Amino acid sequence: MEPIVKHEGLVVCMNRVNVDTDQIIPKQFLKRIERDGFGEFLFFDWRYLPDGSPNPEFELNRPEARGATILLVDDNFGCGSSREHAVWALRDYGFRVILAPSFADIFYNNCFKNGLLPIRIPRELYKQLSESHARGEWRRMTVDLERQTVETDHGISFSFEIDPHKRHMLLHGLDDIGITLQYEADIAAYEASRRPYQFVYA
Amino acid sequence: MGRTLFEKVWDAHVVKELPDGQTLLYIDLHLVHEVTSPQAFAGLRFAGRKVRRPELTFATMDHNVPTVNPKDVRDAIARKQIETLEQNCREFGVQLAGLDSPFQGIVHVIGPELGLTMPGKTIVCGDSHTSTHGAFGALAFGIGTSEVEHVLATQCLWQSRPKTMRIQLNGSLQPGVTAKDVILGLIAKYGVNFGTGHVVEYAGTLIPQLSMEQRMTICNMSIEFGARAGMMAPDETTLAYVQGRRYAPKGADWDACVAEWRELRSDPDAVFDVDVVFDVSDLEPQVTWGTNPGQGVGISGVVPDPKDAKSEEEALAIRQALEYMDLKPGTKISEIPIQHVFIGSCTNARIEDLRLAASIVKGRRVADGVRAVVVPGSKQVKQQAEAEGLHEIFLEAGFEWREPGCSACLGMNPDIIPAGERCASTSNRNFEGRQGKGARTHLVSPAMAAAAAIAGHFVDVRELTSEGVTA
């Protein structure tokens, strides 16, 4: 997994609440058996008009959003289906960081498995950032996961909280399974301590 | 201090706790389906890893399966996904209820009916509606594909301890009002993210009055208000449901399990981070008018006006929803015409749901211009329904009677609602495009869906008389 330590990039703001994973990656694209190539289908139904041309109204299609790697979005982002394809699509499109007042739990966990940093910010701060962004006061930000700080290119800066374990994994691009297998003895001991009927089903 | 039901199940599954708060949790049952598993198996293969406990892993196919002829998968990519699951199960030694199995069906229907789902277990699946299994007093939650791979390889999962919430459902339901109306009414009142970060325990005087099917409907939709999981303490109803099922413990094992399961309830002095009381006595049958499960109202209500919204954000959300749904503020819910009825999904496709719907359509006809479809949740549900003659009731009324699968809940298979058309659906999500691009979904109970099929529009199921449909 590609680590993320410090990231500077263009910000696109989506002033929408409850963006569900059905919108992030509609189900017709879930039938692939690979992890890559989902970026072109990101936000498909919002991003393209019925004739297949880009919808000029959609946030990501505006000229000033071209090349954005940081997404600023309102409450409860990633709700609904557990599909990790949503995170794969965001990453494949080029996003590295998402800032929102809140994220749905499964989506939030999925981000950390794929080098995508979700940052929870207070709702008042979201409003301040989205409004000043809409007024064109700033366009880019620098996210420093090591220091847990964010700074916009017009000088607003703030810090953020993140679970230390998740931060560690992202900073070093670690594979969860490799780490867990270091606890093999603990897992085996746990299994030995459980009665067999709990485990056998056939 | 006493412990909650959740804490008891959690504590019994801790393999390792790290100083930073991360817990390695043991997983007792891993359910697998074709859509969220291929990349996980590919990851194992790539790293040369095996499935640690194949006997704790159980797979089926449901999302992609056509419901007219399940074996006629014409979509080449869907077929590839189904074949990939078959191959992965063979290669890694995982038991599969495939298309030829008498046990195939929606993963959250077959887990309980096979007795794989039991009180006190930790259960995961790469599917958000895994919360369903919490109805048995299991800790059950949906995970992403990377976590599917992790559980396959290690039988464990890293988790941070969630907060706890108790929702006391008190009172008794009026006739014609169902568990589906309870969960829709609850989400309409509290919003689609009030459960985020919490494991919810449903308690209160209503629960003992509910069958397992009804309890599963409520727990199933816990994810629709963001809860990590929904749980209910096991009781005699739970035990009666589990006992004798295919994979349920037998003999002395059963007795030992029962003794343990009787402890699975929150202690009287257990403390929850959040406590909510919801009285169901006056609850009406619910219908959603918007594009998330919280945008709903009772059948006697009207489509809301954005002008009456409590905040600017809410007004915007209502406006966006009404535009997509092509509804005008003030329209009576009972005057909204429908073109499709879908009775199915992991929320409402169990035998009791089909019995309820059949009791309403019996001797009646589906309204002109309405296409109504019943999709049983599993092969076993279908077989049971046919043994009871329910399929004849549906067919005589003009319903289609299909083979099991996820069907029109999510439109990943040929069952898609056309753009611009309206569906009364017993499923769990009314998101934009969920049932097909441009499709307009109204979430309802099986009783309300059946009544809408007869009337051609939403109607209070309590007003249906033996002479026909009033209103």
Side-chain angles (χ1 to χ4, degrees), chain A residues 53-90:
Chain A
S53 64
N55 174 6
E57 300 290 308
F58 182 58
E59 291 89 329
L60 264 57
N61 289 338
R62 292 180 192 150
E64 65 272 21
R66 196 171 297 269
T69 56
I70 300 174
L71 178 63
L72 178 64
V73 62
D74 208 342
D75 254 333
N76 200 27
F77 187 74
C79 61
S81 158
S82 63
R83 60 189 69 167
E84 194 163 318
H85 311 64
V87 175
W88 299 336
L90 287 159

Short mmCIF file of all heavy atoms in Angstrom, two decimals, chain A residues 53-90:
data_model
loop_
_atom_site.label_atom_id
_atom_site.label_comp_id
_atom_site.label_asym_id
_atom_site.label_seq_id
_atom_site.Cartn_x
_atom_site.Cartn_y
_atom_site.Cartn_z
N SER A 53 -21.64 12.14 -22.10
CA SER A 53 -20.71 13.27 -22.01
C SER A 53 -20.64 13.76 -20.57
O SER A 53 -21.58 13.57 -19.79
CB SER A 53 -21.16 14.39 -22.94
OG SER A 53 -22.41 14.90 -22.50
N PRO A 54 -19.53 14.41 -20.18
CA PRO A 54 -19.41 14.88 -18.80
C PRO A 54 -20.48 15.92 -18.47
O PRO A 54 -20.79 16.77 -19.30
CB PRO A 54 -18.02 15.52 -18.76
CG PRO A 54 -17.29 14.97 -19.93
CD PRO A 54 -18.32 14.69 -20.98
N ASN A 55 -21.05 15.82 -17.28
CA ASN A 55 -22.04 16.79 -16.82
C ASN A 55 -21.30 18.03 -16.31
O ASN A 55 -20.64 17.97 -15.28
CB ASN A 55 -22.87 16.15 -15.71
CG ASN A 55 -23.83 17.12 -15.06
OD1 ASN A 55 -23.96 18.26 -15.50
ND2 ASN A 55 -24.49 16.68 -14.00
N PRO A 56 -21.40 19.15 -17.02
CA PRO A 56 -20.59 20.32 -16.64
C PRO A 56 -20.97 20.88 -15.27
O PRO A 56 -20.19 21.61 -14.66
CB PRO A 56 -20.91 21.33 -17.76
CG PRO A 56 -22.19 20.89 -18.36
CD PRO A 56 -22.27 19.41 -18.18
N GLU A 57 -22.17 20.54 -14.79
CA GLU A 57 -22.63 21.04 -13.49
C GLU A 57 -21.97 20.31 -12.32
O GLU A 57 -21.94 20.83 -11.21
CB GLU A 57 -24.15 20.86 -13.36
CG GLU A 57 -24.97 21.57 -14.41
CD GLU A 57 -24.91 23.08 -14.20
OE1 GLU A 57 -25.17 23.52 -13.06
OE2 GLU A 57 -24.57 23.78 -15.17
N PHE A 58 -21.51 19.10 -12.56
CA PHE A 58 -21.03 18.29 -11.44
C PHE A 58 -19.68 18.82 -10.93
O PHE A 58 -18.80 19.17 -11.71
CB PHE A 58 -20.90 16.82 -11.88
CG PHE A 58 -20.47 15.91 -10.77
CD1 PHE A 58 -21.21 15.81 -9.60
CD2 PHE A 58 -19.31 15.16 -10.88
CE1 PHE A 58 -20.80 14.99 -8.56
CE2 PHE A 58 -18.89 14.34 -9.85
CZ PHE A 58 -19.64 14.25 -8.68
N GLU A 59 -19.57 18.84 -9.61
CA GLU A 59 -18.41 19.46 -8.96
C GLU A 59 -17.07 19.02 -9.56
O GLU A 59 -16.21 19.86 -9.83
CB GLU A 59 -18.41 19.14 -7.46
CG GLU A 59 -19.53 19.81 -6.66
CD GLU A 59 -20.80 18.97 -6.59
OE1 GLU A 59 -21.08 18.22 -7.55
OE2 GLU A 59 -21.53 19.07 -5.57
N LEU A 60 -16.89 17.72 -9.76
CA LEU A 60 -15.59 17.22 -10.23
C LEU A 60 -15.28 17.60 -11.67
O LEU A 60 -14.14 17.54 -12.10
CB LEU A 60 -15.52 15.69 -10.09
CG LEU A 60 -14.86 15.15 -8.83
CD1 LEU A 60 -15.52 15.66 -7.57
CD2 LEU A 60 -14.87 13.63 -8.85
N ASN A 61 -16.34 17.97 -12.41
CA ASN A 61 -16.13 18.27 -13.84
C ASN A 61 -15.81 19.74 -14.09
O ASN A 61 -15.53 20.12 -15.22
CB ASN A 61 -17.38 17.88 -14.64
CG ASN A 61 -17.53 16.38 -14.71
OD1 ASN A 61 -16.57 15.63 -14.55
ND2 ASN A 61 -18.75 15.92 -14.94
N ARG A 62 -15.90 20.57 -13.05
CA ARG A 62 -15.61 21.98 -13.26
C ARG A 62 -14.11 22.17 -13.51
O ARG A 62 -13.29 21.45 -12.93
CB ARG A 62 -16.07 22.79 -12.03
CG ARG A 62 -17.59 22.78 -11.91
CD ARG A 62 -18.06 23.57 -10.72
NE ARG A 62 -19.48 23.30 -10.47
CZ ARG A 62 -20.06 23.34 -9.29
NH1 ARG A 62 -19.36 23.64 -8.21
NH2 ARG A 62 -21.34 23.08 -9.16
N PRO A 63 -13.77 23.13 -14.38
CA PRO A 63 -12.36 23.30 -14.76
C PRO A 63 -11.45 23.49 -13.54
O PRO A 63 -10.34 22.93 -13.50
CB PRO A 63 -12.37 24.57 -15.61
CG PRO A 63 -13.78 24.79 -16.04
CD PRO A 63 -14.66 24.10 -15.05
N GLU A 64 -11.93 24.21 -12.53
CA GLU A 64 -11.07 24.48 -11.38
C GLU A 64 -10.86 23.25 -10.50
O GLU A 64 -10.04 23.27 -9.57
CB GLU A 64 -11.62 25.66 -10.56
CG GLU A 64 -12.96 25.42 -9.88
CD GLU A 64 -14.16 25.77 -10.75
OE1 GLU A 64 -14.01 25.80 -11.99
OE2 GLU A 64 -15.25 26.00 -10.19
N ALA A 65 -11.59 22.16 -10.78
CA ALA A 65 -11.43 20.94 -9.99
C ALA A 65 -10.51 19.93 -10.67
O ALA A 65 -10.23 18.86 -10.12
CB ALA A 65 -12.79 20.29 -9.74
N ARG A 66 -10.06 20.25 -11.85
CA ARG A 66 -9.23 19.31 -12.61
C ARG A 66 -7.94 18.99 -11.83
O ARG A 66 -7.22 19.90 -11.44
CB ARG A 66 -8.88 19.91 -13.96
CG ARG A 66 -8.37 18.91 -14.96
CD ARG A 66 -8.26 19.56 -16.34
NE ARG A 66 -9.57 19.98 -16.84
CZ ARG A 66 -10.37 19.21 -17.59
NH1 ARG A 66 -9.98 18.01 -17.92
NH2 ARG A 66 -11.53 19.65 -18.00
N GLY A 67 -7.69 17.72 -11.63
CA GLY A 67 -6.47 17.31 -10.92
C GLY A 67 -6.61 17.33 -9.40
O GLY A 67 -5.61 17.20 -8.69
N ALA A 68 -7.84 17.48 -8.91
CA ALA A 68 -8.02 17.51 -7.45
C ALA A 68 -7.62 16.18 -6.82
O ALA A 68 -7.90 15.11 -7.36
CB ALA A 68 -9.47 17.83 -7.11
N THR A 69 -6.95 16.25 -5.66
CA THR A 69 -6.56 15.03 -4.94
C THR A 69 -7.11 15.03 -3.52
O THR A 69 -6.89 14.10 -2.76
CB THR A 69 -5.03 14.90 -4.86
OG1 THR A 69 -4.51 16.10 -4.26
CG2 THR A 69 -4.41 14.73 -6.24
N ILE A 70 -7.80 16.13 -3.15
CA ILE A 70 -8.36 16.25 -1.81
C ILE A 70 -9.84 16.59 -1.95
O ILE A 70 -10.20 17.51 -2.70
CB ILE A 70 -7.64 17.34 -0.99
CG1 ILE A 70 -6.15 16.99 -0.87
CG2 ILE A 70 -8.29 17.50 0.39
CD1 ILE A 70 -5.31 18.07 -0.22
N LEU A 71 -10.68 15.83 -1.25
CA LEU A 71 -12.12 16.03 -1.33
C LEU A 71 -12.62 16.59 0.00
O LEU A 71 -12.34 16.04 1.06
CB LEU A 71 -12.81 14.69 -1.64
CG LEU A 71 -14.34 14.68 -1.72
CD1 LEU A 71 -14.84 15.55 -2.85
CD2 LEU A 71 -14.84 13.24 -1.92
N LEU A 72 -13.37 17.69 -0.10
CA LEU A 72 -14.01 18.30 1.07
C LEU A 72 -15.51 18.08 0.89
O LEU A 72 -16.08 18.52 -0.11
CB LEU A 72 -13.66 19.79 1.11
CG LEU A 72 -14.26 20.64 2.24
CD1 LEU A 72 -13.75 20.18 3.60
CD2 LEU A 72 -13.92 22.11 2.02
N VAL A 73 -16.14 17.40 1.84
CA VAL A 73 -17.54 17.00 1.63
C VAL A 73 -18.27 17.01 2.97
O VAL A 73 -17.65 16.93 4.03
CB VAL A 73 -17.57 15.61 0.93
CG1 VAL A 73 -16.94 14.54 1.81
CG2 VAL A 73 -18.97 15.21 0.51
N ASP A 74 -19.59 17.13 2.90
CA ASP A 74 -20.41 17.29 4.11
C ASP A 74 -20.67 15.94 4.80
O ASP A 74 -20.19 14.89 4.36
CB ASP A 74 -21.70 18.03 3.74
CG ASP A 74 -22.28 18.83 4.89
OD1 ASP A 74 -21.90 18.57 6.05
OD2 ASP A 74 -23.11 19.73 4.64
N ASP A 75 -21.50 16.01 5.82
CA ASP A 75 -21.78 14.91 6.77
C ASP A 75 -22.04 13.53 6.17
O ASP A 75 -22.64 13.40 5.12
CB ASP A 75 -23.06 15.27 7.54
CG ASP A 75 -22.75 15.70 8.95
OD1 ASP A 75 -21.72 15.26 9.47
OD2 ASP A 75 -23.54 16.49 9.51
N ASN A 76 -21.62 12.49 6.92
CA ASN A 76 -22.03 11.10 6.69
C ASN A 76 -21.60 10.60 5.32
O ASN A 76 -22.35 9.89 4.64
CB ASN A 76 -23.55 10.96 6.87
CG ASN A 76 -23.98 9.53 7.13
OD1 ASN A 76 -23.21 8.73 7.65
ND2 ASN A 76 -25.21 9.21 6.77
N PHE A 77 -20.38 10.94 4.92
CA PHE A 77 -19.88 10.51 3.62
C PHE A 77 -19.63 9.00 3.63
O PHE A 77 -19.12 8.44 4.60
CB PHE A 77 -18.59 11.26 3.28
CG PHE A 77 -18.09 11.00 1.88
CD1 PHE A 77 -18.73 11.58 0.79
CD2 PHE A 77 -17.00 10.18 1.65
CE1 PHE A 77 -18.29 11.36 -0.50
CE2 PHE A 77 -16.55 9.94 0.35
CZ PHE A 77 -17.20 10.53 -0.73
N GLY A 78 -20.02 8.33 2.53
CA GLY A 78 -19.75 6.90 2.38
C GLY A 78 -20.75 6.00 3.08
O GLY A 78 -20.45 4.84 3.36
N CYS A 79 -21.97 6.50 3.32
CA CYS A 79 -22.96 5.67 4.01
C CYS A 79 -23.50 4.60 3.05
O CYS A 79 -23.31 4.68 1.84
CB CYS A 79 -24.08 6.52 4.58
SG CYS A 79 -25.01 7.47 3.37
N GLY A 80 -24.20 3.63 3.61
CA GLY A 80 -24.81 2.60 2.78
C GLY A 80 -23.95 1.35 2.63
O GLY A 80 -23.33 0.91 3.59
N SER A 81 -23.92 0.85 1.44
CA SER A 81 -23.25 -0.42 1.12
C SER A 81 -21.79 -0.43 1.56
O SER A 81 -21.10 0.58 1.50
CB SER A 81 -23.36 -0.65 -0.39
OG SER A 81 -22.36 -1.53 -0.84
N SER A 82 -21.31 -1.64 1.95
CA SER A 82 -19.94 -1.80 2.44
C SER A 82 -18.91 -1.81 1.32
O SER A 82 -17.71 -1.88 1.58
CB SER A 82 -19.84 -3.11 3.21
OG SER A 82 -20.11 -4.20 2.33
N ARG A 83 -19.34 -1.73 0.08
CA ARG A 83 -18.45 -1.94 -1.07
C ARG A 83 -17.15 -1.13 -0.99
O ARG A 83 -17.14 0.09 -1.01
CB ARG A 83 -19.21 -1.61 -2.36
CG ARG A 83 -19.72 -0.18 -2.41
CD ARG A 83 -20.65 0.06 -3.59
NE ARG A 83 -21.92 -0.64 -3.41
CZ ARG A 83 -23.01 -0.41 -4.16
NH1 ARG A 83 -22.99 0.48 -5.12
NH2 ARG A 83 -24.12 -1.08 -3.95
N GLU A 84 -16.04 -1.86 -0.91
CA GLU A 84 -14.73 -1.20 -0.87
C GLU A 84 -14.40 -0.59 -2.23
O GLU A 84 -13.52 0.26 -2.36
CB GLU A 84 -13.65 -2.22 -0.46
CG GLU A 84 -12.33 -1.60 -0.05
CD GLU A 84 -11.45 -2.56 0.74
OE1 GLU A 84 -11.99 -3.28 1.62
OE2 GLU A 84 -10.24 -2.61 0.48
N HIS A 85 -15.15 -1.02 -3.24
CA HIS A 85 -15.01 -0.46 -4.59
C HIS A 85 -15.13 1.07 -4.55
O HIS A 85 -14.55 1.75 -5.39
CB HIS A 85 -16.08 -1.03 -5.51
CG HIS A 85 -16.22 -2.53 -5.45
ND1 HIS A 85 -16.62 -3.19 -4.31
CD2 HIS A 85 -16.00 -3.48 -6.39
CE1 HIS A 85 -16.65 -4.50 -4.56
NE2 HIS A 85 -16.27 -4.70 -5.81
N ALA A 86 -15.88 1.60 -3.58
CA ALA A 86 -16.02 3.06 -3.46
C ALA A 86 -14.67 3.70 -3.17
O ALA A 86 -14.31 4.72 -3.77
CB ALA A 86 -17.03 3.39 -2.36
N VAL A 87 -13.92 3.08 -2.26
CA VAL A 87 -12.60 3.60 -1.94
C VAL A 87 -11.63 3.38 -3.11
O VAL A 87 -10.85 4.26 -3.45
CB VAL A 87 -12.06 2.95 -0.65
CG1 VAL A 87 -10.63 3.39 -0.37
CG2 VAL A 87 -12.96 3.30 0.54
N TRP A 88 -11.72 2.20 -3.72
CA TRP A 88 -10.86 1.93 -4.88
C TRP A 88 -11.11 2.97 -5.98
O TRP A 88 -10.16 3.42 -6.64
CB TRP A 88 -11.11 0.52 -5.44
CG TRP A 88 -10.83 -0.57 -4.45
CD1 TRP A 88 -10.00 -0.50 -3.36
CD2 TRP A 88 -11.38 -1.89 -4.43
NE1 TRP A 88 -10.01 -1.70 -2.68
CE2 TRP A 88 -10.83 -2.57 -3.32
CE3 TRP A 88 -12.27 -2.58 -5.26
CZ2 TRP A 88 -11.16 -3.90 -3.01
CZ3 TRP A 88 -12.60 -3.88 -4.96
CH2 TRP A 88 -12.05 -4.55 -3.84
N ALA A 89 -12.36 3.34 -6.18
CA ALA A 89 -12.69 4.31 -7.24
C ALA A 89 -12.13 5.69 -6.89
O ALA A 89 -11.57 6.38 -7.75
CB ALA A 89 -14.20 4.37 -7.44
N LEU A 90 -12.27 6.10 -5.64
CA LEU A 90 -11.74 7.41 -5.21
C LEU A 90 -10.22 7.44 -5.36
O LEU A 90 -9.65 8.42 -5.85
CB LEU A 90 -12.14 7.70 -3.76
CG LEU A 90 -13.62 8.05 -3.54
CD1 LEU A 90 -14.03 7.81 -2.09
CD2 LEU A 90 -13.90 9.50 -3.93
#
